[in-house]
Amino acid sequence: MTTVPELERVLFTKQQIAARIKEVAAEISDRYAGKDLKLVGVLKGSVFFLTALAREITIPVKIDFLSLSSFTNMARSPGYVRIAKDLDEGIEGEDVLIVEDIVDTGLTLRYLLQTLAGRGPNSIGIVTLLDRTERRLAQVPVEYRCFEIPDRFVVGFGLDYKQHYRNLEYIAVMKPEK
Ligand code: 5GP
């Protein structure tokens, strides 16, 4: 495992993440059997999770991506969001699962849910790698979550700090800034 001085401790190892993703993928495969499942990934943080999850899902699945930009660029600042890159295809009649890296305040997801619900999907749900319910401001229905985490800034497995650390195979807590 690569050691990085800016990191305080590992929260979830590569093995723990893989095992948990497998469990969640099994639940999703059961629940969506016979449905028209589309995974919608929110760029860029969810890419690593989405690909790992999709590989473990045992039913046919489509994937698409969108990206959001917020008017404030500070880490963890909820700000105001809008779609910067939209989905390539429509979602009408499909069973959509939004794939997130982390649900924090829930404000990003509230906006996304409202926007996508207006496009006529058959159903719309949320699967997230990490969930920090402690800081929730908007109540969003998270159907599947891999891990609940404490109120500390985390990186790895897709999550960044100033675009770094996304490629770590594990999830770690950053050292507080001095
Ligand atoms: P929300 O709208 O739920 O507050 O924000 C979710 C977004 O904030 C995530 O998709 C992620 O980009 C960012 N975020 C929230 N907490 C963390 C964290 O601990 N680490 C990283 N890297 N990003 C975070």
Side-chain angles (χ1 to χ4, degrees):
M1 199 184 325
T2 354
T3 48
V4 184
E6 293 80 17
L7 304 183
E8 185 179 288
R9 70 192 152 99
V10 172
L11 257 192
F12 304 109
T13 64
K14 178 184 175 181
Q15 290 76 14
Q16 286 172 319
I17 298 168
R20 185 67 189 122
I21 289 178
K22 208 171 177 151
E23 285 174 3
V24 171
E27 284 179 44
I28 292 172
S29 305
D30 268 4
R31 159 77 177 74
Y32 288 91
K35 304 250 185 199
D36 195 8
L37 177 61
K38 179 178 275 179
L39 301 179
V40 165
V42 184
L43 295 171
K44 303 167 191 157
S46 76
V47 169
F48 292 73
F49 176 45
L50 185 142
T51 54
L53 182 72
R55 265 190 247 115
E56 296 291 349
I57 291 178
T58 53
I59 57 169
V61 62
K62 294 185 266 192
I63 64 172
D64 205 346
F65 292 95
L66 53 74
S67 80
L68 300 169
S69 67
S70 70
F71 283 81
T72 44
N73 267 333
M74 287 145 60
R76 291 178 67 171
S77 163
Y80 174 75
V81 279
R82 64 176 176 85
I83 292 184
K85 178 226 169 286
D86 209 334
L87 297 171
D88 288 336
E89 285 163 17
I91 52 171
E92 200 174 335
E94 294 179 331
D95 293 283
V96 172
L97 255 185
I98 299 173
V99 183
E100 262 288 20
D101 51 356
I102 179 167
V103 186
D104 186 29
T105 62
L107 293 173
T108 308
L109 269 177
R110 182 173 66 185
Y111 165 80
L112 244 194
L113 277 174
Q114 280 166 357
T115 308
L116 296 185
R119 299 182 184 181
N122 184 48
S123 69
I124 187 155
I126 297 166
V127 53
T128 187
L129 176 62
L130 305 176
D131 197 354
R132 196 191 282 117
T133 47
E134 233 180 286
R135 280 173 41 91
R136 198 74 95 245
L137 296 176
Q139 290 316 314
V140 283
V142 176
E143 277 82 9
Y144 304 98
R145 102 178 77 164
C146 292
F147 304 104
E148 169 78 40
I149 62 161
D151 189 12
R152 293 292 309 276
F153 192 83
V154 296
V155 294
F157 212 83
L159 290 113
D160 74 310
Y161 175 66
K162 297 185 179 170
Q163 298 302 328
H164 287 119
Y165 309 114
R166 291 194 198 275
N167 61 328
L168 294 177
E169 293 174 299
Y170 52 89
I171 294 165
V173 173
M174 292 271 305
K175 278 186 189 153
E177 279 178 321
K178 300 237 162 62

